Amino acid sequence: MSTQTEVLILGAGGAGMMCAIQAGKRGRKVILLDHARKVGGKILISGGGRCNFTNLGASPNQYVSNNPHFAKSALARFTPQDFIDLVNDHGIAYHEKKLGQQFCDGSAQQIVDLLMDECKSANAEFRLETRVNLIEPLSPERAPLRFKVFTSSGEFECESLVVATGGLSIPKIGATGFGYEVAKQFGLSLVDRAAALDGFVLNREDEIRFQGLAGLSFDSTIEVRGKIFREAILFTHAGLSGPATLQASLHWYPGDAVKVDLLPGLEVFEWFLQKKKSGNKSIVKNLLSELLPARLAERFCELHFPDPRPLPDVSEKELKSFCGVLKAWTFIPKETVGYSKAEVTRGGVDTQELSSKTLETKKVPGLYFIGEVVDVTGWLGGYNFQWAWASGAAAGAVV
Ligand SMILES: Cc1cc2nc3c(=O)[nH]c(=O)nc-3n(C[C@H](O)[C@H](O)[C@H](O)COP(=O)(O)OP(=O)(O)OC[C@H]3O[C@@H](n4cnc5c(N)ncnc54)[C@H](O)[C@@H]3O)c2cc1C
C-alpha cells in the first residue's frame, strides 16, 4: 500500500522545511523525506554554529545564476524581515555581526527548532533515515496524483513533488547529487556545478613562495572577473581562505587570475614617499611591517624587494614598482579546495526550466526544485539561507 499525500518534499533542509510550513499552513497534507537521521544538518554547522540566517541587504544582486533576474520574484515575496519576524516570534535572540549579517546569539539549533515547531504547527510529517530508490510519473488517469516515489520506508504517491535535496558540499553530513539526477531523469538541463564559497589551493610555485604563512590573516580587497570584495584573507596550509577568498571563489573559474590589494584604502606609494621626505631611515621591510603582519611584509620583500636597504637609498621608481605589487598581487589559483570544505555548490538545475514565481518545472507539472539544488547561489553572509527560505516559501504557496 502506498502512502498518499498532497505534497511530498525530498530533503528536510532549510528550503524543504520552509516549503512544508507554507504548504501545511494552507491546509495541504505534507510529508518530508530525508535520508539523514536529523533534519537541518547544514543549518547546525552554519555560521560557526550560530547560523547566519539572513542578510538585511539581500537582493538579487548578491546571487550568481545564469539568469540574474530569476531570484527576484521569490526574494521579493519572502524578505529577510519575514524570516526575522519568525525569529522574533520564537523569542530567539540575535545580532548583526557585520554587513547586514544576522546571527543567533545562542546556537543554530534554535533555527532548526523554529523550523521544526512551525512544521509541527503546519501538521507536516517527517520520514527520516529514508532513502529514495525510484521516482515514477503516474498515468493521467491517477490525477490529481502525479508521482509515485519508492523509498526504503515504503511507497508514496503525491500530487506535488518538491526536490529540496541541496548541493554537493559537505558529503559527510549527507549532501548528495540526488536532485541533479532527478532533473536528468525528467530531461531538465543543468548548469555546470562547482564548489564555491571555498578556499583556493595555490599553484605549486606560489605554494612554495608563501609556505610557512598559515594562520596569518590580513584585510584586503580581492577581485575576480570584475567582482570586488573587501574582507579578510587567511593563509592556510593549502593556500588561501577567509571571507574575502570565499566570496571570490563564487565568481572564479579555472584559469582566472585573482587580484589582491594587500593595503586597501591606502595610497602606499604616497605613504612611503612621505616617510622618505621626512628623512625616515628605516629599511623597507620594517616600514612595511607597520602596515602588514610582519611575516607577510617580510615575505613580500624577499620576493619583490630582495635587497634590504634603508629608505633614503631606495629610488622612487623602485618604490613605485614594489607598491604596484602590494596593490595588485595577482595569481592564478590551482583550484578551489572542493566539496569537502565548500559552503555551497554553484550551478544546478537550470532556471530556464523553472517558473521564477512558483519554482515549478515548465516541462513536468507538479515537479518543483527549490533551494541550493537550483542554479541560484548567494554570496557569503546569510544570502544562501535567504534563498532557501524564499524559494521554499514561493513553492509552498502553490504546491
Ligand atoms: C559549513 C557551512 C556553513 C554555512 N553557513 C551558512 C550561513 O551561515 N548562512 C547561509 O546563508 N548559508 C550558509 N551555508 C549554506 C547553506 O547551508 C545552504 O545554502 C542551505 O542549507 C541550502 O539549503 P537547502 O535546503 O537547499 O539544502 P540543504 O540544507 O543541503 O538540505 C538538503 C537536505 O536534503 C537531504 N538529502 C540530500 N540528498 C538526499 C537523498 N538522496 N535522499 C534524501 N535526502 C537527501 C540532506 O540530508 C539535507 O537534509 C553554509 C554551508 C556550509 C556547508
Side-chain angles (χ1 to χ4, degrees):
M1 269 294 281
S2 296
T3 304
Q4 295 190 347
T5 183
E6 287 167 327
V7 183
L8 187 66
I9 301 175
L10 308 182
M17 285 196 277
M18 183 54 80
C19 181
I21 294 163
Q22 303 296 336
K25 282 187 177 161
R26 289 173 38 239
R28 300 287 279 168
K29 179 172 162 49
V30 181
I31 299 179
L32 285 130
L33 300 187
D34 203 298
H35 65 168
R37 206 163 352 122
K38 284 188 184 164
V39 304
K42 281 228 179 113
I43 299 172
L44 292 175
I45 60 166
S46 69
R50 290 221 163 93
C51 188
N52 177 193
F53 54 80
T54 193
N55 191 301
L56 291 183
S59 79
N61 299 336
Q62 294 95 22
Y63 293 86
V64 170
S65 169
N66 268 6
N67 176 359
H69 302 291
F70 182 81
K72 272 185 191 165
S73 172
L75 290 172
R77 286 176 296 130
F78 190 92
T79 65
Q81 190 57 48
D82 290 325
F83 196 78
I84 289 171
D85 288 347
L86 269 177
V87 170
N88 286 331
D89 289 348
H90 285 255
I92 300 171
Y94 62 97
H95 62 280
E96 176 165 328
K97 195 166 170 190
K98 57 176 180 175
L99 307 168
Q101 301 168 6
Q102 309 299 309
F103 284 76
C104 298
D105 289 356
S107 131
Q109 181 68 52
Q110 294 172 288
I111 299 296
V112 174
D113 293 345
L114 174 163
L115 294 166
M116 295 279 285
D117 284 354
E118 292 285 328
C119 281
K120 205 171 153 200
S121 313
N123 295 317
E125 291 175 32
F126 289 88
R127 300 280 198 284
L128 301 181
E129 296 185 88
T130 296
R131 203 183 53 248
V132 179
N133 297 323
L134 186 69
I135 300 172
E136 266 182 13
L138 290 170
S139 66
E141 298 88 73
R142 297 291 314 282
L145 294 169
R146 287 185 179 125
F147 303 96
K148 182 165 186 143
V149 179
F150 298 81
T151 80
S152 56
S153 307
E155 294 164 19
F156 295 84
E157 291 180 334
C158 61
E159 295 175 20
S160 298
L161 181 63
V162 183
V163 182
T165 46
L168 294 162
S169 40
I170 325 284
K172 75 172 180 223
I173 62 157
T176 69
F178 178 78
Y180 312 129
E181 296 309 315
V182 179
K184 282 187 207 158
Q185 177 189 340
F186 286 95
L188 309 180
S189 57
L190 292 167
V191 173
D192 287 346
R193 274 82 65 214
L197 301 187
D198 194 9
F200 286 131
V201 178
L202 291 175
N203 63 50
R204 185 74 189 124
E205 294 78 33
D206 283 332
E207 189 192 338
I208 294 166
R209 281 186 194 116
F210 296 103
Q211 69 190 0
L213 298 183
L216 214 148
S217 166
F218 61 98
D219 184 27
S220 74
T221 57
I222 192 162
E223 181 176 345
V224 176
R225 292 190 170 219
K227 298 282 179 197
I228 301 173
F229 296 93
R230 179 163 181 178
E231 292 213 50
I233 288 181
L234 170 73
F235 275 94
T236 64
H237 291 289
L240 300 176
S241 186
T245 311
L246 269 57
Q247 300 284 29
S249 72
L250 181 55
H251 302 277
W252 184 83
Y253 288 77
D256 282 348
V258 176
K259 194 161 86 180
V260 174
D261 180 347
L262 286 95
L263 294 161
L266 179 70
E267 291 300 333
V268 64
F269 177 58
E270 299 300 324
W271 185 85
F272 273 118
L273 279 188
Q274 285 302 324
K275 297 275 176 198
K276 201 168 155 68
K277 279 182 192 147
S278 64
N280 192 306
K281 294 189 173 53
S282 303
I283 61 171
V284 171
K285 180 181 75 181
N286 294 348
L287 276 173
L288 190 58
S289 300
E290 292 176 21
L291 303 173
L292 285 173
R295 277 191 298 144
L296 185 61
E298 193 174 342
R299 190 62 54 89
F300 266 87
C301 286
E302 283 163 12
L303 292 169
H304 301 286
F305 207 93
D307 177 14
R309 272 164 293 151
L311 200 52
D313 300 342
V314 178
S315 72
E316 284 192 17
K317 194 172 161 212
E318 282 175 293
L319 266 183
K320 191 160 201 162
S321 146
F322 182 52
C323 291
V325 175
L326 299 173
K327 295 298 280 179
W329 169 40
T330 304
F331 58 93
I332 298 178
K334 184 176 163 209
E335 58 196 357
T336 57
V337 175
Y339 292 113
S340 62
K341 289 267 165 63
E343 291 205 1
V344 289
T345 302
R346 182 183 65 205
V349 176
D350 195 333
T351 56
Q352 282 190 45
E353 303 282 8
L354 306 173
S355 152
S356 61
K357 191 154 180 257
T358 63
L359 285 295
E360 186 176 22
T361 59
K362 294 174 184 167
K363 288 181 187 147
V364 190
L367 178 64
Y368 297 75
F369 287 83
I370 57 172
E372 196 182 316
V373 72
V374 178
D375 171 38
V376 173
T377 315
W379 292 1
L380 185 76
Y383 301 101
N384 284 296
F385 280 133
Q386 188 55 38
W387 170 245
W389 318 138
S391 58
V398 293
V399 284

